[in-house]
Amino acid sequence: MTVPAALKIPTRRGSELLMLVFAVLLVVAAEADVEATRDGHISSRLITYAAVPIVVGLVTHLVIRRVAPYADPLLLPIVVLLNGLGLVMIHRLDLGLKQQAAQSGDTFNNPAAPTQVVWTAIGVALFIVLIVLIRDHRVLQRYAYTLALAGLFFLVLPAVLPASMSEVNGARIWIRVAGFSIQPGEFAKILLTIFGAAYLVAKRDVLSLAGKRVGFSIRSRFIGFDLPRGRDFGPLLLAWLLCIAVLVRGRDLGTSLMFFGLFVVLLYVATERAGWVVVGIALFAVGAYLAYQVFGTVQTRVEVWLHPFAPLTSAQLAQGIDPGYQLRQSLFSLGTGGIFGSGLGNGHPELVPLPATDFIVSAFGEEIGLFGLVGILVLYALFVVRGIASALAVRDAFGKLLAMGLSFLVALQLFVVVAGVTRLLPETGLTTPFLSYGGSSLIGSYALLALLLRVSDAARRPATVPPAKAKETVPA
Amino acid sequence: MNRPIRRVAIALGVLFAAIFVNLNFVQVVKSDEYRNHVGNKRVLLNEYASPRGQIVVQGTAIALSKQTSDELKYLRTYPQGELYAPVTGFYSYVYGRSGIEESEDKVLSGDDPRLFGTQLGSLLTGRNPKGGSIQLTLNKAAQAAAYSAMKGADGKMRRGAVVALDPTTGAILAAVSTPSYDPNELSSHNANTMERAWSKLNDNPAKPMLNRAFNELYAPGSVFKVIVSAAALSDPAAKITPDTRVPAPNGYWPFDPKKTSACPNDPTSSCVKNFDGETCDNGKTATLAFALAKSCNTAFAALAVDKLGGQRIADQAKLFGFGDPYTGDPPDLCHPPALNVPLPVCTSTVGSTGDLTDKGSLSHTSFGQQDVRITPLQAAMISAAVANNGSLMKPYLVAKELSPNLSTLSQTEPTQLSQALDPDLDTDLQEMMEGVVTAPEGTGGAARISDIPGVVVGGKTGTADTGIFVNGKETPPHAWFSGFALQNGAPKIAVAVIIENGGVNGNETTGGLAAAPVAKAVMEAYLKSGGGH
């Protein structure tokens, strides 16, 4: 009995399972550390927090085994580890905030960790639906415009809702219904990535036609770049305008930066013309300048970024506002953690406002130090590298753009967040994928994972094996 | 499309590298700056997150940490704040620490490396280590008696200090500085309470936070005559015994020793006269014992200038714990400290080398004026050495350092600083000092203890001119007493008392009148308590 050569390509599902075991062990150890430090003993809560990565890992692993057997084996364990560590930190911050409340005589009664477990469950459910329904990522191309419409709908929705249902901390980017809040921009990001990839695959030939050359020649070697043709300029301009619109509507620097970066990169990858990047950066600069001129919030963010330790003005003192407080607390948190950190549960990351969402990176930096934080960054780097590897390996242009776009989203978002909390760039207010507290962020991230796994499955699948069909059973 | 994908990957790599470099900058380069920044509450929260160890006197905590419900979890409290403040010091997150809180901070906070072993378990779980305790040598009865005896007849606390020592070990039995302050206010978690108390204490001209027992230098006056007596007894060339008759004229002219006429009524004259112009014995000579008992200035001036010389006295003073004479301007006598008990103690001095060679200055140095300056602790050390066969023990305040589980980290072993006087000669000096208290001409009769059998008290009074003039009139002199008590021949306690600017009746004060009763109260309380620490 001979097995076709193509089938010998290993699926690596065993490696995935092994790494999942490691991920679960790490999460359990982290939670045990938190409990031992905070309470002096390990409680039965440990079972709850251990169960999350075990169930998530096991269920998703089994589903992948079934419907995407050639998928990249590294992506899922990284996500389970990040999600698990995030949950541990969110729980730890709950304990810190609870203590803080008790000391000031208040009661703390909305712990974030249980809700995050619910969000994780919903995220995993969506993951399963997506990866089971979409057996071939190329199917998505067909629905590109529908998805784009849905994305725009999500983007616009908070703007048309009354402020009471959409505004949190001054930014109108939420939908708040029945005690739940969702940031639809998180889903719009992914929908628009799909659309962008599909659109550019269709139009790349037109867009890559050279326009004017900018540069000079030395000994017949041209140095410079080709500008795109004016009439193909449309998509970029559209993206730019969309970003300005997002910014105007929701005062949301982070999301508009994400959108714009995504479009520029997709354009560049699709057309292979560096000119788009130059034009894109120029447009971004113009947009940023305009935003700075028009919006007080942007000016404040930049001012805080430049002078976080500047004494408050008399007007600020009179109004009792301190815009630099958060960044300073973040720097104190990171600086106090130093190289090795205070140990999980032993620092004071709860002193930083919004510690579980925008500043969860500072919380990790304080308690597990530079070493631990770099470890987490390496996990993200691996995730992005594996995503890009799939983009390189997959055979269809749409898949390449999609995988690239999704990987880039994760990388850019992480960069913007970490650069913001460490004062490399002005703070923009984004969550950290998989790590931060928040339903939309987590669910969106699991959707992203499903799509990326789907592309990676296609990338590693031997050419002779057709994509798995819903009812097909793989012969043993 | 793979080429642009690779380029984007490289660009992302650069972004990750930028984050990494910046994280190193924040968490390594700027780490200390951020950690210690005034806006960073973490250091404070950590410092107050675990109970600090206790400071204990004879089984009673005089400084302890109480759990609170506010953000700073443990509040430092001092149940008998003012009584022990000169020893405990305070513990404030605004003004820092002082006293034992400062000098034993490592043990109290649990940071001491010797606590590492016992705290390894708590380190592993990341819990904050508890602090160790400090057991002091103080005696409750002596400390309390000293503090209450410093209260004047008018009910107000007089300025001054009391130090008591165990002569055989050097253990400090009492250390009082008055007026005192309440360290509870400075250790409060309420910044307003703290600030108000701090500025009030600093504006107070009586300087309540000055630890007079260890950190104030006073002219010792006639107390210094004990050292000159020791120098005379031990001088091989002079061959002087307590019964040797030494010149004791009514007026001593240092530049013309032959002249015996009384001093003119001219304050600028170098002529030395006795206290209140009194006559010493027959007005010509007196035995050394008589001169000490009656505290004749002229006899000691003559001894110092004509027999001993300044260097001899400085050497003897050094054996009793003084520093070397200084040249030129007076140096900063408190930095570096002469001793750490472990509280820093200022250096006592006989003055400059010039004072010791100039006959006029030396004659005044001999009875503790001119530039002689001593701490109350030093005054107690003189009597302690005399009581202890001439052997001067190093004073210490910390009996034991204990780990949080009460095992002993260290125990102070008594050490000898010097043999100040040959034991045979010391017996002579001891009897001379007993004469100060018991002889009819003695000035220290008020220190006598008659109701405890077997107790003999010796000492020396001092009435030191301050040299400070207010409105052309010199401020009232400081009243001194330094002495010891023997019980059945064994040295039990040495004590020194200073009361600034008299404390009894203005200029009429003397050490015998004002300070000796305080010393008596301390010694009596200690002996009746059965001693110990």
Side-chain angles (χ1 to χ4, degrees):
Chain A
M1 182 154 179
T2 52
V3 177
L7 287 181
K8 275 184 184 165
I9 289 182
T11 59
R12 299 273 182 227
R13 297 272 67 80
S15 314
E16 184 180 77
L17 188 60
L18 189 65
M19 284 187 285
L20 279 170
V21 171
F22 278 128
V24 168
L25 287 178
L26 263 172
V27 172
V28 172
E31 176 61 24
D33 192 3
V34 165
E35 292 187 5
T37 306
R38 301 296 299 191
D39 307 336
H41 59 87
I42 291 161
S43 72
S44 57
R45 271 194 319 229
L46 183 64
I47 300 163
T48 324
Y49 289 97
V52 172
I54 291 173
V55 171
V56 169
L58 206 60
V59 169
T60 48
H61 171 74
L62 289 176
V63 171
I64 290 170
R65 227 174 229 282
R66 181 101 187 134
V67 302
Y70 292 95
D72 190 291
L74 216 50
L75 294 174
L76 180 66
I78 290 174
V79 166
V80 168
L81 181 52
L82 288 172
N83 188 184
L85 287 178
L87 188 60
V88 168
M89 180 53 80
I90 290 162
H91 171 227
R92 179 257 168 277
L93 287 165
D94 279 344
L95 297 177
L97 291 167
K98 188 177 168 191
Q99 190 191 11
Q100 205 177 43
Q103 280 163 354
S104 56
D106 300 332
T107 48
F108 176 78
N109 42 20
N110 51 340
T115 322
Q116 182 79 344
V117 174
V118 175
W119 291 133
T120 305
I122 298 174
V124 170
L126 181 64
F127 171 89
I128 294 169
V129 168
L130 287 178
I131 206 157
V132 168
L133 279 185
I134 305 165
R135 288 306 168 96
D136 186 343
H137 61 272
R138 285 169 294 187
V139 174
L140 293 169
Q141 267 176 296
R142 269 184 252 154
Y143 304 101
Y145 285 91
T146 318
L147 294 174
L149 216 59
L152 284 174
F153 174 73
F154 272 133
L155 263 184
V156 173
L157 198 57
V160 297
L161 287 173
S164 64
M165 285 176 74
S166 67
E167 189 170 315
V168 176
N169 296 330
R172 287 182 66 179
I173 50 173
W174 299 82
I175 301 171
R176 295 194 296 165
V177 182
F180 284 102
S181 19
I182 283 178
Q183 228 174 321
E186 296 278 357
F187 305 110
K189 229 164 42 186
I190 294 163
L191 293 170
L192 291 174
T193 307
I194 300 169
F195 167 72
Y199 177 84
L200 290 169
V201 166
K203 305 279 180 179
R204 56 192 284 239
D205 294 337
V206 190
L207 290 168
S208 55
L209 282 175
K212 231 183 182 162
R213 287 202 135 191
V214 178
F216 50 89
S217 301
I218 299 173
R219 284 190 214 129
S220 78
R221 193 181 145 78
F222 178 70
I223 297 178
F225 51 85
D226 301 316
L227 277 180
R229 272 194 333 194
R231 61 178 175 191
D232 306 322
F233 204 56
L236 196 61
L237 211 59
L238 208 69
W240 183 68
L241 287 171
L242 185 72
C243 292
I244 299 279
V246 167
L247 196 60
V248 172
R249 176 188 53 85
R251 309 259 149 82
D252 189 2
L253 287 157
T255 309
S256 48
L257 177 60
M258 298 296 302
F259 284 151
F260 198 69
L262 180 68
F263 271 93
V264 169
V265 161
L266 288 182
L267 258 175
Y268 169 60
V269 172
T271 61
E272 306 196 19
R273 299 228 166 252
W276 286 114
V277 179
V278 175
V279 173
I281 290 173
L283 272 177
F284 177 76
V286 172
Y289 178 76
L290 285 178
Y292 180 80
Q293 292 299 322
V294 175
F295 302 121
T297 50
V298 178
Q299 285 171 21
T300 311
R301 291 259 169 108
V302 171
E303 190 53 36
V304 162
W305 172 58
L306 290 173
H307 310 289
F309 293 98
L312 297 181
T313 64
S314 50
Q316 285 169 337
L317 282 172
Q319 294 169 47
I321 52 169
D322 182 1
Y325 182 78
Q326 195 166 31
L327 180 59
R328 285 202 303 277
Q329 292 306 317
S330 172
L331 293 176
F332 294 156
S333 172
L334 290 164
T336 309
I339 297 175
F340 298 107
S342 64
L344 276 171
N346 206 28
H348 291 283
E350 71 275 4
L351 293 176
V352 187
L354 301 180
T357 52
D358 296 14
F359 284 85
I360 200 162
V361 166
S362 310
F364 276 106
E366 177 169 351
E367 299 214 317
I368 61 178
L370 179 67
F371 274 29
L373 194 48
V374 167
I376 287 181
L377 293 183
V378 166
L379 288 179
Y380 281 104
L382 278 176
F383 184 90
V384 172
V385 164
R386 299 308 298 186
I388 293 176
S390 300
L392 287 171
V394 80
R395 287 170 283 270
D396 66 301
F398 172 69
K400 280 180 187 298
L401 281 175
L402 184 61
M404 185 62 225
L406 296 174
S407 310
F408 181 78
L409 272 182
V410 173
L412 185 64
Q413 186 154 351
L414 185 81
F415 171 75
V416 170
V417 167
V418 179
V421 303
T422 59
R423 207 188 148 224
L424 183 62
L425 292 177
E427 214 266 306
T428 48
L430 285 176
T431 55
T432 314
F434 300 110
L435 215 50
S436 285
Y437 170 76
S440 18
S441 172
L442 197 58
I443 296 170
S445 299
Y446 267 107
L448 187 152
L449 175 70
L451 296 180
L452 207 49
L453 278 173
R454 178 47 75 208
V455 179
S456 76
D457 177 59
R460 295 181 69 248
R461 181 182 297 275
T464 51
V465 178
K469 289 271 155 40
K471 285 176 189 158
E472 187 187 66
T473 47
V474 180
Chain B
M1 273 195 251
N2 282 359
R3 205 174 58 157
I5 290 178
R6 285 202 183 89
R7 285 188 176 162
V8 172
I10 290 166
L12 290 176
V14 172
L15 292 188
F16 268 78
I19 300 178
F20 177 72
V21 169
N22 193 49
L23 266 178
N24 271 278
F25 178 69
V26 171
Q27 297 204 274
V28 181
V29 179
K30 300 281 262 182
S31 172
D32 282 343
E33 184 189 327
Y34 289 148
R35 185 179 295 130
N36 299 318
H37 194 280
V38 286
N40 190 355
K41 271 164 75 179
R42 289 173 181 76
V43 175
L44 192 60
L45 287 171
N46 285 341
E47 196 176 310
Y48 282 82
S50 54
R52 193 171 165 81
Q54 300 185 336
I55 304 177
V56 179
V57 169
Q58 290 186 308
T60 305
I62 57 167
L64 67 156
S65 288
K66 277 190 179 160
Q67 198 158 7
T68 68
S69 55
D70 53 332
E71 206 171 24
L72 304 179
K73 265 164 79 182
Y74 289 94
L75 174 71
R76 197 64 166 164
T77 55
Y78 306 87
Q80 302 172 81
E82 295 194 338
L83 176 59
Y84 289 104
V87 176
T88 58
F90 56 81
Y91 177 72
S92 158
Y93 66 78
V94 175
Y95 304 109
R97 297 172 287 264
S98 70
I100 289 289
E101 296 279 28
E102 165 69 14
S103 50
E104 290 288 336
D105 182 52
K106 285 258 184 284
V107 172
L108 290 168
S109 68
D111 287 341
D112 193 286
R114 286 171 296 171
L115 292 172
F116 183 76
T118 55
Q119 314 228 326
L120 198 59
S122 52
L123 262 173
L124 283 177
T125 57
R127 290 189 78 73
N128 286 302
K130 280 186 198 159
S133 299
I134 300 296
Q135 217 174 70
L136 298 182
T137 57
L138 294 179
N139 175 275
K140 283 184 201 172
Q143 180 82 5
Y147 190 72
S148 60
M150 287 302 279
K151 198 173 271 185
D154 56 357
K156 273 166 78 179
M157 198 49 89
R158 295 176 288 184
R159 295 184 201 178
V162 182
V163 176
L165 296 171
D166 181 335
T168 58
T169 61
I172 297 174
L173 301 172
V176 162
S177 173
T178 55
S180 189
Y181 65 98
D182 185 359
N184 286 304
E185 290 176 348
L186 295 177
S187 310
S188 160
H189 290 178
N190 183 321
N192 287 333
T193 309
M194 216 190 295
E195 274 165 35
R196 232 177 299 126
W198 180 259
S199 56
K200 215 176 106 190
L201 290 170
N202 277 298
D203 292 345
N204 189 337
K207 295 197 227 165
M209 282 196 293
L210 170 67
N211 190 345
R212 293 173 158 86
F214 304 144
N215 297 329
E216 182 70 313
L217 290 152
Y218 301 95
S222 302
V223 169
F224 193 67
K225 288 170 186 164
V226 176
I227 287 172
V228 180
S229 300
L233 291 172
S234 60
D235 189 88
K239 291 204 172 93
I240 291 170
T241 68
D243 299 327
T244 308
R245 291 199 79 85
V246 293
N250 286 340
Y252 171 71
W253 300 81
F255 297 102
D256 188 4
K258 299 261 156 56
K259 199 167 156 184
T260 54
S261 60
C263 292
N265 201 5
D266 171 13
T268 60
S269 163
S270 63
C271 178
V272 174
K273 58 182 178 185
N274 289 322
F275 182 75
D276 259 5
E278 285 171 4
T279 303
C280 194
D281 203 8
N282 59 16
K284 292 191 177 87
T285 61
T287 63
L288 184 62
F290 186 97
L292 187 73
K294 179 134 190 188
S295 202
C296 310
N297 291 344
T298 56
F300 285 92
L303 257 180
V305 176
D306 304 328
K307 292 265 185 193
L308 304 171
Q311 193 53 51
R312 184 71 203 87
I313 292 172
D315 291 346
Q316 185 65 62
K318 199 177 173 191
L319 286 173
F320 274 102
F322 282 58
D324 285 318
Y326 54 81
T327 20
D329 283 332
D332 183 351
L333 293 170
C334 295
H335 304 96
L339 280 173
N340 286 298
V341 294
L343 306 190
V345 179
C346 297
T347 310
S348 297
T349 178
V350 292
S352 70
T353 48
D355 288 343
L356 301 176
T357 48
D358 176 79
K359 287 181 176 179
S361 301
L362 179 58
S363 63
H364 283 80
T365 300
S366 71
F367 51 92
Q369 296 287 165
Q370 200 66 28
D371 289 336
V372 189
R373 293 291 179 274
I374 72 171
T375 59
L377 175 68
Q378 175 60 60
M381 285 162 71
I382 296 171
S383 289
V386 175
N388 191 37
N389 294 322
S391 168
L392 176 64
M393 302 303 288
K394 186 172 186 283
Y396 63 95
L397 200 46
V398 173
K400 279 181 181 177
E401 294 174 319
L402 301 172
S403 75
N405 59 24
L406 299 181
S407 64
T408 304
L409 290 177
S410 82
Q411 181 162 6
T412 309
E413 293 302 327
T415 49
Q416 192 193 38
L417 274 182
S418 64
Q419 184 66 38
L421 195 59
D422 184 82
D424 291 342
L425 301 173
D426 186 69
T427 310
D428 291 343
L429 186 56
Q430 219 179 72
E431 283 168 6
M432 283 167 62
M433 286 179 74
E434 285 162 18
V436 172
V437 176
T438 54
E441 68 275 14
T443 54
R448 190 182 311 165
I449 295 172
S450 47
D451 58 345
I452 308 175
V455 171
V456 177
V457 174
K460 182 70 196 85
T461 59
T463 308
D465 292 333
T466 57
I468 298 166
F469 289 82
V470 179
N471 300 328
K473 228 180 124 200
E474 191 172 2
T475 56
H478 299 323
W480 274 105
F481 185 86
S482 172
F484 53 82
L486 311 179
Q487 193 167 26
N488 304 322
K492 289 290 177 191
I493 182 172
V495 63
V497 176
I498 179 166
I499 296 169
E500 288 181 23
N501 306 118
V504 180
N505 288 313
N507 276 330
E508 297 303 309
T509 193
T510 63
L513 223 53
V518 176
K520 178 196 169 177
V522 175
M523 293 189 286
E524 204 168 41
Y526 177 72
L527 293 169
K528 281 185 176 166
S529 79
H533 59 251

